[in-house]
Amino acid sequence: MGQMNAYGGEKSSEGFRRQWDTAAYVQKARDREQQLKLDEENEERRHKGLKPRPAKNTAPKEPRELLEARKDAVRLDKMVGKSQIVQASSAAAGQPGFYCKECDITVKDSLSYLDHINGKKHQRILNRIMKVQVETVDDVIAKLASLRAIKRRQMDKPDYDFYEQVKLQQQLDAEKKLKRKEAKKKQREAKKSVVASDQPDEMAAMLGFSSFGSSKK
C-alpha cells in the first residue's frame, strides 16, 4: 500500500505539482508558426496571380469569426512609467515598448501597437478574418428603433429640472460674490491698520524726536 497524504488519499509518485505536456505545446507553436508563414506566402502569391500552396496539415480548420467592435477601450496609458515581467521569446525579451501576449512580440510605440492589434496577423491569431458582417435593411431598422427607444427613455426621465438648475446656479453665484466682498473688506482693514501703526513714527520724525522704540542700543 502506498503512502497516505495529508487529506487521507494515496500519495502520488509524481508529486503535487501540475504536470504540463511540453511537447504538445511546442508542437502547437510550431504548427501555428508554419500556418502563419504559409498564409503570408499564399497572400503574396495571390497578389502575383499565382495559385496558393496547399496546406500541409489536412485536418479541418476551425471556422473563423468575423470582425466585431471592441467592447472595452484600449488604454495605452495604464502601463506608462511601470515595468512588467513577461514570458516572451528571445526576440521580444528585453525590449521596451508595448507587448502583445497573443503574438509574442514587442512594438516600440503606441501607434505601432494600434496598427498591430488592428492588423491582419493579430486578427489571424485570434481566429478572425478581416471581414465584417453585412447588415440587412431589417437589421438597420431594428438598430434605429432601439436607438430611438433609448433616447425616448432618457427624455422621459424627470431627473433634470431646468428652472431648478438655474436657481441653484444663481445661489452659487451669490455665494461667490459674497465671499469676494468679504475678502476685499479684510484687505482694506489690513491696509488701514498698517497705515495707523506707521503714523506715530512719522510724527516723531517731523518733530525731531527719536523713535519710540526700544532703548537698547
Side-chain angles (χ1 to χ4, degrees):
M1 184 176 178
Q3 296 179 356
M4 303 296 291
N5 57 21
Y7 299 99
E10 186 176 355
K11 185 181 293 186
S12 176
S13 60
E14 297 178 356
F16 64 91
R17 296 184 180 275
R18 186 177 179 180
Q19 301 295 324
W20 299 93
D21 191 355
T22 308
Y25 281 97
V26 171
Q27 186 62 37
K28 285 183 180 180
R30 289 176 180 174
D31 295 341
R32 185 178 64 178
E33 186 177 0
Q34 291 178 359
Q35 184 63 38
L36 289 176
K37 289 181 179 180
L38 181 62
D39 292 343
E40 292 177 357
E41 184 180 355
N42 287 337
E43 189 67 23
E44 294 179 358
R45 290 176 66 86
R46 289 191 188 94
H47 285 300
K48 295 179 181 180
L50 301 176
K51 186 177 180 180
R53 298 182 184 277
K56 296 181 180 179
N57 188 9
T58 57
K61 294 182 179 180
E62 297 180 1
R64 293 188 177 180
E65 302 175 356
L66 297 173
L67 284 179
E68 296 180 356
R70 290 191 183 91
K71 298 180 181 179
D72 299 329
V74 179
R75 294 188 57 187
L76 299 174
D77 57 342
K78 65 179 181 180
M79 293 300 294
V80 173
K82 299 180 181 179
S83 299
Q84 183 181 11
I85 299 176
V86 296
Q87 294 181 353
S89 63
S90 59
Q95 296 181 3
F98 293 86
Y99 176 70
C100 178
K101 183 178 180 181
E102 287 79 7
C103 302
D104 193 20
I105 62 171
T106 302
V107 293
K108 294 182 179 180
D109 51 31
S110 58
L111 292 178
S112 301
Y113 180 74
L114 290 176
D115 291 340
H116 168 71
I117 62 177
N118 293 328
K120 186 183 296 183
K121 182 179 179 181
H122 182 78
Q123 298 299 329
R124 190 184 293 119
I125 292 292
L126 299 178
N127 198 28
R128 296 173 184 167
I129 59 176
M130 301 298 290
K131 293 182 181 180
V132 296
Q133 183 179 359
V134 179
E135 303 291 345
T136 61
V137 177
D138 296 335
D139 296 333
V140 176
I141 294 175
K143 184 65 175 179
L144 292 175
S146 65
L147 293 176
R148 282 196 297 268
I150 294 172
K151 188 174 182 180
R152 192 179 296 110
R153 287 196 298 268
Q154 292 176 351
M155 294 177 64
D156 293 341
K157 288 182 178 180
D159 298 339
Y160 183 81
D161 189 354
F162 175 75
Y163 297 102
E164 187 67 24
Q165 293 294 327
V166 171
K167 185 178 179 180
L168 180 61
Q169 187 63 37
Q170 289 176 351
Q171 292 178 357
L172 293 175
D173 294 340
E175 291 177 359
K176 290 181 180 179
K177 188 175 180 180
L178 182 61
K179 289 180 180 180
R180 286 197 297 268
K181 285 184 178 180
E182 292 178 354
K184 289 182 180 179
K185 185 178 179 180
K186 290 180 180 179
Q187 290 179 359
R188 287 195 298 268
E189 292 177 354
K191 289 182 180 179
K192 288 181 180 179
S193 62
V194 171
V195 172
S197 62
D198 292 342
Q199 284 181 355
D201 294 337
E202 294 177 358
M203 292 295 295
M206 291 174 63
L207 295 175
F209 297 105
S210 59
S211 62
F212 297 100
S214 175
S215 60
K216 294 180 180 181
K217 294 182 179 180

